[in-house]
Amino acid sequence: MNLTELVKASGVVGAGGAGFPTHVKLNAKAECFVVNAAECEPLIETDKYLCRTYAPQIVAAVMAVAAHLEAKRAVIALKGKYKPEIEALSKAIQLADAPVEIFEMGTFYPAGDEQTMVQQVTGRSVPERGLPLDVGCVVDNVGTLLNIFDAIQGRPVVDKFLSVVGEVKEPVMLHVPVGTAITECVKAAEPAISDYALILGGPMMGKVLLSRAEIDAAVVTKTTGNIIVLPRDHYLFRRATLPLESIRHQARSACIQCRMCTDLCPRYLIGHQIRPNLVMRNFWREPGMEDNGEYERCFGDAANCCDCGVCEMFACPMGLSPRKVNQYIKGQLRARGIQVPRNMEPEARAFVDQRHTPTDRLVARLGLSEYYGRHAHECRELDPGEVFLPFSQHIGKPANVVKAVGDYVERGEVLAQAAEGLSANIHASISGVVVEITDQGARISSRKE
């Protein structure tokens, strides 16, 4: 099998959070292959740990992918302050005599956004709502590269590295089977409080879990890279639960049209047409706007929002929520059948490097300073007696289950096969008996009755 087939068979998807099936991304030729090791959001420890611990495997996978893509340039991009990680990667590159560059980025958010990264590394801006491949690049997360290395060795994706941070005894790295209960991960990190809520991922774009039922039902998937444990009354949870109608009234009464949401927007900085301040100015009258032409003129820019949250969590001096408004508007544009034209040749604005959002200042705005700068120094293995494996851990169609209740499965055996089109294989992450199958996934138990 060639690399694309190996990766597809192993069920590799974007490990950084997006979950795009990697075999589809690798079915291309590119001028530049970029490895994203910049750990986009604060408090996450996973990519740094992988770079320090598995540098030779990562470099080997970089070379394999670059050769497959026929790329003239292979780059590992990470923040310049990651000195131990840069040292480990540089040593692995030297030992392998590999033509791989280390690109050092500033400490800003969202340095790990692939379109921001492509602009930084190549000077090219990805077209609006486009892909890095549109400017000759393919970008993969460092965790994805480690999974590609395993795929080359014939090992499927059955485990996940993730960090647990926040209100815990100390930040920890965990290595767990996919499908492990999130509650087991939190327990292993020894939470400092009992009445907590969680964010799966980073504080800016992660998934908020507030209710006990949500927390108890959540499991580690191929894209889970971090768990943040916080008090239930934390600022981030209050912002996450603000109703849209309250946001509409706030926008009408409090938006001062200062343009900070626009001027600091990462997509605006790389040349995209996006002006959240204009969307906010018109939002109060959106419900009565019937003409699609007028709707597009007022709100079409929202189509280019990447949901990073800089506008509402850092830029806005009035504490408004342009990101939530853009998310709502994007849904309305689809519902109305409005196709917003795309600029296929954007150019980064002259001040792109002067208006990045500093990570330390962002952390302070988020109310997370007490957790910032604490790092995970050990990795613990968890061996759960039961896992629940969702059939949809990726962008695209859910995988189709090929086992039945009562079947015994070995760890690494295909549990659900990729559907036609955009999909990915799901493998058993522990050996045991399939005890439950639902529309959402399958439960495997290794426990003996």
Side-chain angles (χ1 to χ4, degrees):
M1 290 192 286
N2 64 23
L3 184 62
T4 302
E5 293 168 336
L6 288 169
V7 166
K8 181 177 182 180
S10 293
V12 181
V13 303
F20 193 87
T22 303
H23 66 274
V24 177
K25 186 179 285 190
L26 295 184
N27 190 25
K29 301 300 177 188
E31 180 182 338
C32 182
F33 177 53
V34 182
V35 178
N36 184 347
E39 207 84 87
C40 189
E41 299 205 40
L43 302 189
I44 304 177
E45 292 290 300
T46 308
D47 288 356
K48 295 191 286 292
Y49 175 81
L50 297 181
C51 288
R52 293 194 306 270
T53 312
Y54 296 100
Q57 293 90 329
I58 291 166
V59 170
V62 171
M63 293 307 299
V65 174
H68 173 80
L69 296 172
E70 298 179 9
K72 299 175 183 176
R73 188 181 178 197
V75 181
I76 301 175
L78 70 172
K79 291 169 185 168
K81 73 170 187 175
Y82 293 171
K83 300 304 181 185
E85 292 77 17
I86 291 171
E87 182 180 354
L89 290 166
S90 298
K91 182 178 179 180
I93 290 169
Q94 184 177 11
L95 287 174
D97 193 24
V100 178
E101 304 172 37
I102 298 288
F103 185 89
E104 298 186 22
M105 302 182 72
T107 305
F108 67 88
Y109 174 81
D113 167 62
E114 66 175 15
Q115 296 197 17
T116 297
M117 183 170 284
V118 165
Q119 192 280 323
Q120 289 279 295
V121 171
T122 70
R124 304 169 189 167
S125 290
V126 176
E128 293 173 355
R129 283 158 279 148
L131 298 170
L133 193 59
D134 294 330
V135 291
C137 299
V138 167
V139 182
D140 272 322
N141 171 265
V142 67
T144 309
L145 264 290
L146 194 58
N147 287 336
I148 290 173
F149 177 85
D150 286 343
I152 294 170
Q153 316 305 314
R155 295 190 292 267
V157 180
V158 293
D159 293 318
K160 184 65 180 173
F161 288 97
L162 68 150
S163 50
V164 187
V165 301
E167 283 288 345
V168 295
K169 182 178 179 181
E170 62 179 0
V172 296
M173 284 298 307
L174 299 177
H175 187 224
V176 307
V178 173
T180 299
I182 291 294
T183 51
E184 291 201 34
C185 298
V186 174
K187 182 180 178 181
E190 300 180 53
I193 55 176
S194 57
D195 187 26
Y196 59 78
L198 303 177
I199 300 175
L200 302 186
M204 295 291 282
M205 300 180 72
K207 181 181 179 181
V208 170
L209 301 181
L210 274 172
S211 73
R212 194 69 235 179
E214 286 180 308
I215 293 171
D216 289 343
V219 298
V220 174
T221 70
K222 296 178 183 181
T223 62
T224 307
N226 187 61
I227 302 170
I228 307 177
V229 182
L230 293 173
R232 192 173 295 277
D233 62 353
H234 192 275
Y235 164 76
L236 289 175
F237 300 131
R238 297 199 303 272
R239 287 298 300 265
T241 55
L242 193 64
L244 186 67
E245 283 311 303
S246 296
I247 293 171
R248 194 187 301 277
H249 292 308
Q250 288 178 348
R252 182 176 188 177
S253 61
C255 180
I256 59 175
Q257 286 296 298
C258 66
R259 277 189 54 101
M260 291 295 287
C261 56
T262 293
D263 290 341
L264 298 182
C265 171
R267 288 291 186 268
Y268 176 78
L269 293 177
I270 65 171
H272 290 190
Q273 174 80 356
I274 178 165
R275 295 161 296 179
N277 65 298
L278 298 187
V279 172
M280 295 298 282
R281 186 171 73 185
N282 290 292
F283 188 48
W284 67 272
R285 64 191 188 97
E286 182 267 341
M289 197 176 292
E290 297 181 359
D291 180 73
N292 277 0
E294 183 184 12
Y295 200 94
E296 183 180 334
R297 285 192 297 275
C298 291
F299 302 115
D301 285 11
N304 292 325
C305 175
C306 66
D307 300 331
C308 72
V310 164
C311 53
E312 67 184 34
M313 306 304 283
F314 182 79
C316 182
M318 307 305 290
L320 304 181
S321 306
R323 169 173 57 177
K324 284 200 177 86
V325 174
N326 282 341
Q327 289 171 338
Y328 165 77
I329 294 294
K330 284 191 282 187
Q332 294 302 108
L333 290 170
R334 288 191 296 270
R336 288 171 174 253
I338 297 174
Q339 299 291 326
V340 180
R342 292 199 294 157
N343 179 2
M344 299 303 292
E345 296 182 350
E347 293 185 7
R349 303 185 195 273
F351 42 76
V352 61
D353 291 324
Q354 284 74 52
R355 294 190 183 173
H356 288 142
T357 298
T359 302
D360 55 350
R361 289 174 61 191
L362 174 64
V363 167
R365 295 276 181 94
L366 297 177
L368 298 173
S369 294
E370 63 184 295
Y371 314 114
Y372 189 53
R374 299 175 62 202
H375 300 295
H377 299 292
E378 63 171 318
C379 184
R380 303 178 192 170
E381 302 274 344
L382 295 190
D383 184 22
E386 183 177 283
V387 296
F388 182 82
L389 292 155
F391 297 144
S392 185
Q393 301 182 39
H394 48 267
I395 290 173
K397 299 176 184 177
N400 297 318
V401 63
V402 295
K403 298 295 181 180
V405 171
D407 286 351
Y408 179 83
V409 291
E410 292 283 352
R411 172 178 158 89
E413 191 175 345
V414 174
L415 177 70
Q417 202 159 41
E420 281 295 321
L422 196 62
S423 190
N425 288 340
I426 304 293
H427 299 80
S429 59
I430 63 173
S431 297
V433 176
V434 179
V435 295
E436 179 188 14
I437 294 177
T438 70
D439 291 340
Q440 284 71 46
R443 190 176 306 278
I444 300 172
S445 177
S446 65
R447 300 187 179 105
K448 294 189 170 96
E449 298 296 336

